[in-house]
Every structure is written in C-alpha cells, then in structure tokens.
C-alpha cells in the first residue's frame, strides 16, 4: 500500500520567487469592468485607460507577517484613542480637525513594507482607494497547484466583503444619525471622471444602489448648501463619501462641503479629524518617540510594538540640514500631508535641488525600509517587482489585505505586470 504523503504549503518566500501558476485573467477582468460600468459613465475601456491597474500575480505572505501587521495596527489604534495623544496631534492641526463629527472615517489604509525581521508601517492614509477593485480582482483569482490551496485573502470571505463594506457606511451613518433612513450618497472628488480610480467610484455607486441607496458621483463644486440642506442637482445628499485629497476642505470650491460638514447638514466620511489623527505624517514621529509616548500614558509593551513596527521618523528641521544630507541614503522623505507618493523622495536618489525644496517645505524623514519583492516571469526571464501591503481597516478591524506591485522609486500604476495584487496567506 502506498503511503499517503501530506502536501504542505511551500514557504511564502519561495512562492513569491517561483509560483507563476496562480493568477487572474486581467484582460477578462478589465473587459468585464468596462461592460459593467459603461452605462454608468465609463467612456473608454479600462484596458486602454488603466493597462497596469491589476497584476495577474498574487503576493504570498506568512501568517507571522499578517499577525505582525495586525499587532502594529492595534497598537496605533490604542494610542490614537488616548486623550493625551489626540490633544498633541490636534493642537498642531487646522481648526476644522478639532470638530468631532461622530463617525470614525471609512477606509483607513495602513501601508507596510516587509523587512527581513517583520513588517514595517510606512504610512497611514484616510481615504485609501482600491478596496472594491481588489474585491473584484480577488474573485478573478484561480488556484492551479496544490501548494497554495487553502491560503486565504483576508479575515472575511471575499463573497461577504461587499456586504461588510456597505455595512461600514451604514455604521458611519448610524453614529451620526441613529435610526434615521439613509436615502442618498454622493461619492465626491474633484473632476471625478478624470481621476485614476474613477472606475472604483462607479463600483461604489453600484454597491450602494444594490442596497437600495441612491448614489451619485460628483465634483464638490456641484454641491449646494441652502437652508441647512446639502444637495446635488436639486436632490438632497445625506452622506458624502469623501475621496478628496484636500484633506481639510481649504479650497474655495469646497466651501459648501466644508460648511455642510461643520454644520451637520450632511455626514462626511472620511473627514478632516480622521486625517489629523491618523494620516498626518508627523504622527509617525510621535508614534516612534518613546519619551513622548510615555508622556501620553502609552504602556511599555505598546511602545515596544510601535518602535519595532514603525521606522524611526522625525520632522525635517532646516537646522539639521547637514546631518540629514549626510544620512540621506538611509532615509525616505515625505511631505506631511502628502498622498500617493507625491513629493516623496528616496534619500539615495535625492538631488541637491530636491533637498532644498524639502528643507523649505513641511516634511518628515523616515528610516528607509526597502520593499520586498515578487518575481514576475517575463519571456522566461524573471523580473523583480517591488511590493507594499495595504491593510484596509475600519474600527480597528482589518477588512482586506492587498498589495501593490511596481518598479521605480515609489508606488505607481505604470509598471507592466504590476498594479493591485491580492495577498494570500495561511488561515489561522
């Protein structure tokens, strides 16, 4: 009788180097998105406008890395709830951030690089895009070998995730309005049809309408506030899903949205307070400063988790210019209110001119943690793609883990074979 040999999953490092048999039919997914969304306003096929939005390759991560990321997220969330921490970060934030609207703010994005000794949180975003796109991508994945069977893409079954995401918006509404009915949502960004993630706006519109809530994709300049009612084209807007990168509603064309938010005429999520509490890059300096954390009343165990899980970060001070320049190859420079890697610089690629701009701007310097890699097999010659991992989080709970694959200095969607990629890891 032949012995039955248990087939064990391969180590994730080897899978990221050698596994090319699992993947998605990206062309078919893009074609489906165009067919599904064309009637909602998507003019050109996604394959033309977004050729590198999705990667056909998944990323494999160990259970230890997943749990390490969750430990860091839990530590940050516990600190962000402390009155002393909130007072410290809100004191230097714009006045609008001190308004407490009630809702938490949807789609916190905790972005990590994987170092040799564990994950490192490189930044937090408050309007992290891509969640619904990653849901569609995960659905398109096909497992073709036994070594990867049984791996999972997240803490929630992908078939239930849309329901969870819709429930998140209902919870935001409930926190502000209790049991009042939610009738209409505006998904808001500047010139939304020109935004790179416009297809996702249409996916959200479809999601809301499938649950009986009318939805519109709109520019904030199209919103009107009269007699305490926010409206779009004469119809009342109850909730605004905010995708703006004007995080504090400073631009004149966002005046109606700003007033509606402050007056309570509409529920806005995510909102300026969430950005100040989580996404201001100066917070990373506080979260890695042991002395200040102790002063905020943070337990030593939590401090240890933060210091091991977040690269040391400090505000850029022109008085430290000489030292920063000499140490630049070990640093990454980020604007305080930056997003999407805009205005960010790897120190080893830094020119004197760019460094002068950094000194004149509002930046932080973060210890450089090089991204790990996923190999892409091109014409039988593997190419290394860099990767970062995004945890979509609400109320301290991870909803989905996704990756972005790219080449170059910072994350982008311009790399052949790169783009959003699902993350697979052992359950447990």
């Amino acid at each position: 009788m032949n012995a039955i040999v248990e087939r064990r999953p391969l180590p994730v490092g080897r899978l990221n180097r050698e596994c090319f048999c699992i993947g998605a039919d990206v062309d078919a997914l893009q074609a489906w998105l165009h067919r599904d969304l064309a009637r909602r306003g998507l003019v050109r096929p996604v394959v033309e406008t977004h050729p590198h939005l999705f990667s056909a390759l998944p990323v494999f991560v160990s259970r230890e890395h997943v749990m390490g990321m969750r430990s860091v997220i839990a530590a940050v969330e516990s600190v962000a709830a402390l009155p002393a921490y909130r007072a410290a970060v809100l004191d230097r934030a714009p006045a609008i951030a001190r308004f407490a609207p009630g809702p938490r703010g949807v789609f916190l994005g905790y972005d990590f690089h994987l170092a040799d000794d564990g994950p490192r949180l490189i930044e937090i975003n408050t309007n992290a895009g891509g969640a619904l796109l990653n849901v569609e991508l995960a659905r398109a994945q096909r497992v073709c070998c036994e070594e990867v069977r049984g791996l999972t893409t997240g803490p929630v079954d992908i078939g239930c995730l849309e329901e969870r995401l819709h429930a998140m918006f209902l919870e935001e509404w409930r926190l502000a309005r209790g049991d009042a009915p939610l009738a209409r949502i505006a998904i808001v960004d500047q010139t939304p049809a020109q935004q790179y993630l416009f297809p996702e706006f249409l996916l959200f519109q479809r999601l809301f309408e499938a649950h009986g809530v009318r939805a519109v994709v709109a520019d904030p300049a199209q919103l009107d506030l009269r007699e305490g009612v926010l409206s779009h084209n004469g119809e009342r807007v109850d909730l605004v899903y905010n995708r703006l990168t004007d995080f504090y509603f400073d631009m004149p064309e966002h005046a109606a949205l700003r007033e509606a938010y402050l007056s309570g005429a509409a529920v806005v999520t995510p909102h300026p307070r969430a950005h100040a509490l989580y996404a201001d890059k100066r917070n990373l300096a506080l979260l890695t400063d042991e002395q200040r954390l102790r002063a905020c009343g943070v337990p030593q165990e939590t401090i240890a988790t933060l210091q091991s899980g977040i690269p040391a970060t400090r505000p850029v001070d022109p008085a430290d210019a000489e030292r920063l320049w000499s140490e630049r190859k070990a640093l990454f420079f980020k604007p305080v209110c930056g997003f999407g890697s805009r205005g960010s610089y790897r120190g080893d690629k830094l020119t004197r001119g760019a460094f002068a701009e950094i000194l004149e701007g509002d930046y932080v310097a973060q210890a450089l943690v090089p991204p790990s890699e996923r190999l892409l097999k091109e014409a039988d010659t593997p190419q290394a793609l860099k990767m970062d991992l995004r945890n979509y989080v609400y109320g301290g709970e991870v909803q989905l883990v996704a990756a972005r694959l790219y080449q170059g200095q910072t994350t982008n969607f311009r790399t052949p074979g790169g783009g959003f990629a699902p993350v697979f890891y052992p359950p447990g």
Side-chain angles (χ1 to χ4, degrees):
M1 180 181 294
N2 294 329
I4 297 175
V5 178
E6 181 182 358
R7 187 183 293 271
R8 302 192 179 202
L10 294 175
V12 295
R14 184 176 172 188
L15 288 169
N16 282 326
R17 293 191 303 271
E18 301 178 6
C19 182
F20 306 107
C21 66
I22 178 175
D25 187 339
V26 170
D27 290 339
L29 175 59
Q30 290 171 321
W32 175 84
L33 281 175
H34 178 66
R35 290 195 303 272
D36 187 63
L37 301 180
R39 69 180 186 276
R40 294 186 178 276
L42 195 65
V43 177
R44 295 174 57 198
V46 176
V47 69
E48 294 179 6
T49 58
H50 300 67
H52 311 306
L53 178 60
F54 299 114
S55 175
L57 289 174
V59 166
F60 299 96
V61 179
S62 71
R63 189 69 192 176
E64 290 74 19
H65 282 154
V66 171
M67 298 311 296
M69 289 188 291
R70 290 186 188 174
S71 293
V72 174
I73 291 167
V76 172
E77 293 282 347
S78 69
V79 173
L82 295 175
Y85 170 87
R86 294 192 166 214
V89 300
L90 294 176
D91 185 59
R92 53 170 160 74
I96 192 173
R98 291 189 278 279
F99 171 65
R104 300 182 179 100
V106 297
F107 290 122
L108 280 181
Y110 283 77
D111 294 345
F112 289 83
H113 283 176
L114 296 183
D116 291 339
D117 57 347
R120 298 290 185 274
L121 176 66
I122 56 171
E123 65 183 41
I124 306 172
N125 295 286
T126 49
N127 59 354
L132 271 188
L133 291 169
N134 277 291
V135 169
E136 299 301 338
L137 179 60
R139 283 175 174 159
Q141 294 296 313
R142 296 295 181 266
V143 174
C144 302
C145 63
E146 289 299 323
E147 284 80 3
V148 298
R149 291 190 187 278
L151 300 185
T152 182
T153 57
V156 179
D157 183 89
I158 205 69
C160 303
L161 191 51
E162 281 193 348
E163 294 296 326
R164 289 285 295 271
L165 297 182
H166 180 254
M168 173 178 63
F169 283 91
L170 292 183
E171 175 65 6
E172 292 288 273
W173 175 254
R174 186 195 66 79
L175 289 170
R177 295 289 195 269
D179 295 330
L182 171 60
R184 195 161 188 255
I185 294 175
I187 303 154
V188 169
D189 203 352
Q190 281 188 294
T191 55
Q194 298 178 26
Q195 297 296 327
Y196 187 76
L197 293 186
F198 176 61
E200 185 176 52
F201 299 173
L202 300 179
L203 287 175
F204 273 106
Q205 183 185 41
R206 185 188 68 177
L207 173 65
F208 296 139
E209 291 180 350
H211 288 82
V213 179
R214 289 179 297 156
V216 62
V217 179
D219 188 298
Q222 299 173 320
L223 301 177
D224 184 48
L225 182 66
R226 294 184 183 179
E227 298 180 355
V229 175
L230 185 69
S231 63
H232 173 266
N233 286 345
E235 292 193 69
R236 183 179 189 129
V237 171
D238 297 315
L239 184 146
V240 173
Y241 174 25
N242 170 33
R243 295 291 291 254
L244 289 169
T245 54
D246 175 18
F247 301 113
Y248 298 115
F249 306 149
D250 291 325
M251 298 175 65
E253 54 266 42
H254 303 159
L257 179 59
R258 179 188 180 97
E259 187 177 348
Y261 169 66
L262 291 173
S263 67
V267 176
V268 179
T269 184
H271 44 68
R273 186 178 181 87
H275 184 273
L277 291 174
Y278 289 96
D280 187 313
K281 303 299 187 293
R282 291 171 295 187
N283 297 350
L284 297 170
L286 196 163
L287 290 168
T288 55
D289 187 324
E290 182 173 2
Q291 184 175 351
R292 294 186 67 192
L293 290 172
R294 283 180 177 173
C296 289
V298 180
Q300 188 59 43
E301 183 180 357
T302 302
I303 293 174
T305 298
L306 294 171
Q307 291 199 310
S308 64
I310 305 177
T313 307
R314 62 183 186 268
V316 168
D317 185 344
D320 292 335
E322 184 175 341
R323 180 166 63 94
L324 288 168
W325 179 256
S326 68
E327 297 175 357
R328 70 190 184 282
K329 293 183 179 180
L331 298 172
F332 200 99
F333 296 89
K334 299 180 178 183
V336 164
C337 286
F339 62 95
S341 300
R342 297 183 185 182
S344 298
Y345 299 92
R346 275 183 60 131
D348 56 353
K349 308 291 185 182
L350 198 59
T351 65
R352 281 285 187 179
F355 185 61
E357 293 178 6
I358 289 171
L359 295 176
E360 293 175 0
D362 202 357
Y363 274 75
V364 297
Q366 185 179 74
L368 179 64
V369 179
S372 50
E373 294 181 340
R374 171 62 158 115
L375 290 190
L376 169 68
K377 193 174 183 180
E378 281 289 326
D380 297 323
T381 303
Q383 297 183 16
L385 298 181
K386 299 173 183 177
M387 68 181 184
D388 66 10
L389 302 175
R390 168 164 288 178
N391 288 249
Y392 294 91
V393 176
Y394 179 68
E397 294 187 3
V398 176
Q399 302 160 310
L400 177 69
V401 184
R404 294 174 293 183
L405 300 177
Y406 63 100
Q407 290 177 333
Q409 185 177 169
T410 57
T411 305
N412 58 64
F413 291 95
R414 298 188 296 272
T415 303
F420 282 125
V423 173
F424 286 82
Y425 53 88

